[in-house]
Amino acid sequence: MERYRRTERLTWEEMAKAAGVGRQTLNNLRDSKESPRLRTVHKIAAAIGMDQEKAEALAGIEPVEPVEEETEAAPEATGDPAVDARSAIMRDPRLNDRSRKLMLDVFDAIAARFDDPAPPQPAADDNRGHRRAS
């Protein structure tokens, strides 16, 4: 960032405006006061004409392996909502591999809670407005 800013003779404020991020965000990133968010890294990379993967590496963001589509039956054929949801996530052209993996991880975590035969029960009320363990 600093090299680009100096080469282009930009102030930090001009650099922030070009990247579409706040000046304080750039200051915090420059001074290592906050971890960079992927979206911010991509905005800065686009502003300075850097490849996103290179920018991610420079920012210390580890690459995510591409998610392979499962070879299950077509969701229309199964009628299983879980397969339908996973398939929709895999086919959504708006998602990149990182977003797709995150969405699948969240979906799997939520689905696992529904598969749990004994979800935790809230504490019972003792008729005085106090909760007691069940």
Side-chain angles (χ1 to χ4, degrees):
M1 254 184 352
E2 177 66 17
R3 190 174 342 145
Y4 174 81
R5 187 185 72 79
R6 286 185 180 184
T7 301
E8 296 297 318
R9 297 181 179 172
L10 297 173
T11 65
W12 281 107
E13 190 147 333
E14 292 167 331
M15 174 82 169
K17 187 175 183 177
V21 298
R23 181 171 176 238
Q24 190 61 46
T25 297
L26 286 185
N27 291 345
N28 289 344
L29 293 174
R30 179 194 65 208
D31 299 338
S32 299
K33 290 183 179 177
E34 68 179 58
S35 298
R37 293 185 174 153
L38 185 63
R39 182 176 174 182
T40 303
V41 170
H42 287 177
K43 284 181 170 185
I44 295 168
I48 65 176
M50 181 183 286
D51 178 69
Q52 286 186 353
E53 289 180 9
K54 182 177 180 181
E56 289 173 19
L58 290 172
I61 297 173
E62 295 185 29
V64 173
E65 294 298 319
V67 179
E68 298 294 325
E69 189 164 356
E70 297 174 7
T71 57
E72 296 177 8
E76 297 77 26
T78 66
D80 181 352
V83 175
D84 291 346
R86 290 185 67 78
S87 181
I89 292 168
M90 292 302 301
R91 289 192 318 245
D92 192 328
R94 298 170 295 177
L95 300 175
N96 61 25
D97 286 333
R98 184 179 304 277
S99 299
R100 192 169 284 117
K101 180 177 182 335
L102 178 63
M103 294 285 291
L104 289 171
D105 288 347
V106 169
F107 176 79
D108 290 342
I110 292 169
R113 290 192 54 125
F114 285 108
D115 293 341
D116 186 3
Q121 297 296 318
D125 192 351
D126 68 359
N127 294 329
R128 291 181 294 175
H130 300 286
R131 299 252 178 212
R132 57 184 166 82
S134 47

